[in-house]
Amino acid sequence: MVPPADPSAPDLSPAAVSLRGRRPRDLPVLTRWLTDPDAAWRAWDAPYLPEWDTTANLQRYAQALASSPPNPNERVIDVGGVVVGMVNRAEEDPAGGGWWDLGILIYDPLHWGRGLGSRALALWVQATLDETDAHVLTFSTWGGNDRMIRAALRLGFREAGRVREARVVRGERLDAVRLDLLRREWPGLDGRA
C-alpha cells in the first residue's frame, strides 16, 4: 500500500515548473549553490574552465545578484515554490541580428533526470521567442553533457556544429557542441514538454 502524499510537501513534478524573476528571498539559495566549489552541477557546466577562475567569477556574480535588480534575460526555475535553478539568455553580436544563446542550470542532483530541466527549457524557449526578436536560438555545451544534448534534441534543436576534441574535461578530450533551433521550427509548448 502506498502511503498518502504529504499535503504540505511542494509539488516537484514537471507540471509545477515555472520561470520567474528573482526575488530577494531567493538570494540565499542562489548564493549557496553558486558559491559552493564542490556543488555537483559544476562537473557539468563548463567543467573545462579553470576551477579557481569559475569560483571567483561565481562569487562575484552572487554578490552582484544581491545588489542589482532582476535581469529580464535571467529567470529562476521555480518548482512548486522551490527554487531549483536558473535560465539565462544572451544576444549574440551584432545586436538586433536575431541570434540568442540560451543556458539552463538545475543545481541539486536530486532534481536531475525528472523532466524538470526539459520543461524549464521549453518554457524558456517560448519566453525567448515571445519576448525577443529571436530568429535562431542556440545552446553551447560539451560532448559529455548528454542530458543537456538530449533535452535540446527532444525539443527540436539540431546539432549545428561540433568541434572535435576541443574541450579537456578530467583529462579526457571531448567535443564542443552547439545546437540550434529556428523560430519557424518551434511549434509552441503543445506537445513539446
Side-chain angles (χ1 to χ4, degrees):
M1 176 170 218
V2 176
D6 178 356
S8 65
D11 180 2
L12 296 176
S13 70
V17 173
S18 65
L19 304 179
R20 62 171 175 77
R22 184 184 76 246
R23 297 175 183 155
R25 71 173 187 235
D26 301 328
L27 290 172
V29 171
L30 296 173
T31 299
R32 178 172 57 92
W33 284 108
L34 290 169
T35 60
D36 179 358
D38 298 320
W41 68 265
R42 290 186 60 178
W44 300 98
D45 187 66
Y48 42 82
L49 296 176
E51 185 175 328
W52 62 267
D53 189 42
T54 299
T55 299
N57 286 335
L58 287 170
Q59 288 171 341
R60 281 191 296 277
Y61 176 65
Q63 290 170 349
L65 288 177
S67 62
S68 63
N71 179 338
N73 293 321
E74 297 176 334
R75 309 270 163 80
V76 297
I77 302 170
D78 183 303
V79 184
V82 176
V83 174
V84 301
M86 290 184 77
V87 292
N88 62 26
R89 63 183 173 220
E91 187 175 18
E92 295 284 344
D93 289 331
W99 177 3
W100 288 81
D101 195 56
L102 308 180
I104 181 171
L105 182 59
I106 304 286
Y107 300 125
D108 191 336
L110 294 175
H111 299 306
W112 297 352
R114 299 177 50 208
L116 305 178
S118 292
R119 179 64 180 164
L121 180 54
L123 292 170
W124 194 226
V125 166
Q126 188 65 57
T128 300
L129 294 173
D130 290 346
E131 299 167 10
T132 72
D133 66 346
H135 174 74
V136 62
L137 304 177
T138 57
F139 273 99
S140 301
T141 190
W142 57 286
N145 195 347
D146 294 327
R147 285 189 309 267
M148 179 69 249
I149 293 169
R150 280 194 315 268
L153 291 172
R154 274 194 306 273
L155 293 177
F157 281 77
R158 297 178 187 176
E159 189 172 308
R162 183 175 287 261
V163 181
R164 295 176 298 147
E165 300 182 9
R167 303 294 189 196
V168 177
V169 178
R170 295 177 280 283
E172 183 181 357
R173 287 212 162 266
L174 296 161
D175 300 345
V177 179
R178 182 160 271 186
L179 300 121
D180 69 7
L181 176 76
L182 297 175
R183 178 183 284 272
R184 68 177 171 267
E185 296 169 341
W186 178 251
L189 289 172
D190 294 336
R192 286 291 180 178

